[in-house]
Amino acid sequence: MNKKSILVVDDAAENIDVLVGLLKDKYTVRAARNGQVALKIAQSEKVPDLVLLDIVMPGMDGFEVCRQLKENPSTAMIPVVFLSGEIGEEERIQGRKLGAIDYLTKPVEPTLLLSVMNTVLDEK
């Protein structure tokens, strides 16, 4: 059985390391430290099954990454789950308007993250 592919996007290496450690046994995990690299990976031959996306990043924030993913026909169907320390209602609403499936706050509870991921991937 092919493992589902997860793209983790976060500018903090520690956050990527934690998520890769949590997910690597069950999923194929690729990581990007900025929005530009994330978009290149998402548009590659092996499109990810799910994107875990930080919001606050230098250069291109997660909202802009999500917007570009959803505007591109080759990546529009990739589910996006935001993972961020930004927990305001305004950010949640903006994420939903851009097409994100869910919004989890960091530090993320591993059991909750895996539960959300399983639900999203099962629906896909």
Side-chain angles (χ1 to χ4, degrees):
M1 183 176 105
N2 282 344
K3 288 183 175 182
K4 297 281 187 184
S5 172
I6 309 299
L7 173 56
V8 176
V9 186
D10 199 307
D11 59 315
E14 318 82 67
N15 293 338
I16 288 175
D17 291 346
V18 167
L19 290 168
V20 169
L22 176 67
L23 303 173
K24 68 181 179 186
D25 290 339
K26 188 172 180 186
Y27 303 99
T28 299
V29 184
R30 292 179 288 172
R33 299 267 316 266
N34 65 59
Q36 292 84 355
V37 173
L39 291 170
K40 282 182 185 160
I41 292 172
Q43 296 164 4
S44 69
E45 202 170 297
K46 177 71 174 111
V47 174
D49 294 298
L50 174 69
V51 176
L52 299 176
L53 181 58
D54 185 23
I55 292 174
V56 180
M57 297 183 292
M60 182 186 297
D61 69 15
F63 291 133
E64 179 60 19
V65 174
C66 185
R67 186 188 67 74
Q68 289 191 32
L69 286 171
K70 296 303 177 181
E71 284 181 353
N72 182 331
S74 69
T75 59
M77 296 309 294
I78 303 170
V80 174
V81 174
F82 281 118
L83 300 180
S84 186
E86 300 287 329
I87 57 171
E89 195 59 29
E90 193 175 308
E91 288 82 10
R92 289 180 193 274
I93 291 168
Q94 185 175 355
R96 289 283 185 174
K97 283 182 179 175
L98 290 169
I101 299 290
D102 211 335
Y103 187 110
L104 302 174
T105 55
K106 293 190 286 189
V108 68
E109 202 322 289
T111 307
L112 175 61
L113 174 63
L114 292 171
S115 173
V116 167
M117 288 177 60
N118 286 335
T119 301
V120 170
L121 291 168
D122 286 349
E123 289 174 0
K124 187 174 186 241

